[in-house]
Amino acid sequence: MATLSQIAVEAGVSEATVSRVLNSKPGVSEGTRQSVITALDVLGYERPTHLRQRSAGLVGLVVPELENPIFPAFAQVIEDALARRRFTPVLCTQSPGSLSEDEYVESLLDHGVAGIIFVSGKHADTRADHERYQMLLDRGLPVVFINGYVDGVPAPFISADDRVAMDIAVAHLAHLGHRRIGLAIGPARFMPSARKHEGFVAALGTHLGLPETEARSWIAETIFSVEGGAAATDELLEQGATAIVCGSDMMAIGAIRAARAAGLEVPRDVSVVGFDDSPLVAFLDPPLTTVRQPVAQMGGTAVAALADAISGDPVASREYLFAPELVLRGSTGPAVDRG
C-alpha cells in the first residue's frame, strides 16, 4: 500500500485528508475524495474495496428461494422494472445448501453493485441481527426491503398490509356463514406472520365477536410449505374448523390436500383461502380463493425508491403498506355444519 505521504503529495492534500478518505470519514468534499482516489490509481496501487467504483448498472436482488411461485413473480417484476431503468439485476437465490444472505451480500459488494433489494430476507426475521443492514447503509449503499420491517433502520420498506389481508379473508368467510375459522400460518418470529396473527385475531373479534383468547386458539402455527399447510389443517379440522385461512398459497395447497385426505370436499365441507395469488393458483382444482399481494405495484415502488437513492435523490425512510385484494374463486363456499 502507498504511504500516506506519497498519496498526499500526488493528490495535493494533507496526509490527514488522505486518511479521512481511506477510512470513509466525513468532512471531505467529493472533489477532494476523487483527487485522492486518482492519486491511488496514478501511483499504481489497488483501491481499497470500499473505494472501488460501483457499476451504475448492477443491482443485487436477494430472494429466499424460487420454489414458492410468489418469489419468481417478485423477481420478474423487479427485473423488468430495473431493465427499464437500464440496471442489470444480479439475482441471488437462497436455495437449500446455497450461499447465505450475508455471503451473497459480500459477493455483491465485491462486484460493486449500486444497490440491493431484499425480498423476504433476514429483515423479516425478528430474531435476526439487523446490524448487517445498518453496516450497508453506513457504507452509503442504497437498499430497499420488501415484506418485512426493522425499526430503526433508515431505509424504504415495502410491504403488503397483512392485517388488512386477514380482515378481508375473515369477512368473506363470515359472510358465507362460517363461525369456526382457522388460520394456518408460519412462525410468528417472522414479521409478516406476526402481523397476520394480529390481523386474524382482530378480524375474528370484529366479524364474529370472539374474545382474543378464543380467537388465538384457532391459530395453528407451522412452516411455510405445502406440508406445513397440511399439518396445520389436520389440527384445525380436529377442532371443527369449517374454513381455513392460509399464510400462503403453497400452504393453501397443503390445506386442500389434507381436507381431501380426511374425506372432505372443498368447498362443500371446508373452505380454503390462500394468500399471494401466485401464478397458476387460478388453475387448481378447485381454483383457489386467495388474497392477492399487489406484486407489480410493490416491485415497481421498490425499484423506483432504489433508483432515486442511487441517483442521490432523497427517499423517505419509512414503511409503505400496500392494500391487498380478495380474489374470489372456487375454494370457498357456504358453511355446512359437519356436526
Side-chain angles (χ1 to χ4, degrees):
M1 181 65 192
T3 65
L4 292 181
S5 60
Q6 289 175 308
I7 301 171
V9 170
E10 182 64 33
V13 298
S14 68
E15 292 183 24
T17 298
V18 172
S19 178
R20 297 185 73 83
V21 172
L22 295 180
N23 291 287
S24 297
K25 299 295 184 182
V28 180
S29 69
E30 182 59 24
T32 299
R33 177 179 175 277
Q34 288 299 326
S35 295
V36 172
I37 293 173
T38 300
L40 279 174
D41 295 340
V42 169
L43 292 170
Y45 294 103
E46 184 177 356
R47 300 181 188 182
T49 301
H50 65 280
L51 291 180
R52 293 173 190 165
Q53 186 175 11
R54 296 186 188 120
S55 168
L58 293 179
V59 168
L61 173 57
V62 183
V63 299
E65 41 98 356
L66 295 179
E67 291 185 3
N68 185 333
I70 195 61
F71 296 126
F74 267 115
Q76 181 173 350
V77 165
I78 292 169
E79 288 177 344
D80 288 348
L82 287 170
R84 288 195 295 272
R85 294 174 180 268
R86 299 187 179 278
F87 289 107
T88 300
V90 181
L91 181 62
C92 303
T93 305
Q94 301 171 67
S95 56
S98 70
L99 299 181
S100 67
E101 180 177 301
D102 290 338
E103 290 170 325
Y104 272 128
V105 168
E106 183 178 349
S107 177
L108 291 171
L109 293 176
D110 287 343
H111 283 82
V113 294
I116 303 176
I117 297 175
F118 295 90
V119 180
S120 300
K122 293 290 187 183
H123 65 283
D125 188 345
T126 59
R127 298 182 188 175
D129 179 6
H130 297 131
E131 183 63 25
R132 52 172 54 89
Y133 301 122
Q134 189 59 55
M135 292 174 62
L136 294 177
L137 293 167
D138 289 343
R139 296 178 60 136
L141 184 75
V143 293
V144 176
F145 302 94
I146 294 178
N147 281 339
Y149 178 72
V150 180
D151 188 28
V153 172
F157 290 85
I158 313 295
S159 296
D161 195 326
D162 293 295
R163 297 182 183 91
V164 170
M166 293 298 98
D167 185 78
I168 60 178
V170 170
H172 167 61
L173 294 170
H175 178 73
L176 290 172
H178 293 277
R179 295 295 177 265
R180 290 172 290 174
I181 304 171
L183 173 64
I185 191 65
R189 60 184 277 198
F190 296 105
M191 182 67 72
S193 292
R195 289 176 170 178
K196 287 184 176 73
H197 273 237
E198 296 169 7
F200 180 77
V201 170
L204 289 187
T206 299
H207 301 290
L208 298 180
L210 267 61
E212 180 178 344
T213 302
E214 183 178 353
R216 290 193 180 280
S217 71
W218 287 102
I219 298 176
E221 189 173 312
T222 180
I223 59 175
F224 281 114
S225 68
V226 172
E227 295 76 16
T233 298
D234 287 338
E235 178 182 333
L236 294 168
L237 290 177
E238 287 182 7
Q239 291 181 228
T242 64
I244 298 172
V245 180
C246 298
S248 72
D249 290 340
M250 297 295 284
M251 296 178 74
I253 293 172
I256 293 173
R257 286 185 182 179
R260 287 176 173 163
L264 303 175
E265 186 174 325
V266 178
R268 186 191 65 189
D269 302 307
V270 59
S271 290
V272 176
V273 179
F275 178 83
D276 283 332
D277 196 27
S278 309
L280 303 181
V281 296
F283 304 100
L284 294 177
D285 180 22
L288 184 65
T289 293
T290 189
V291 180
R292 175 184 293 157
Q293 281 201 78
V295 172
Q297 295 89 336
M298 293 169 66
T301 300
V303 170
L306 189 75
D308 286 346
I310 291 172
S311 299
D313 296 329
V315 179
S317 299
R318 51 159 295 177
E319 183 175 28
Y320 301 86
L321 292 176
F322 285 73
E325 174 188 358
L326 183 67
V327 181
L328 297 177
R329 297 193 180 103
S331 65
T332 53
V336 174
D337 188 356
R338 299 198 308 269

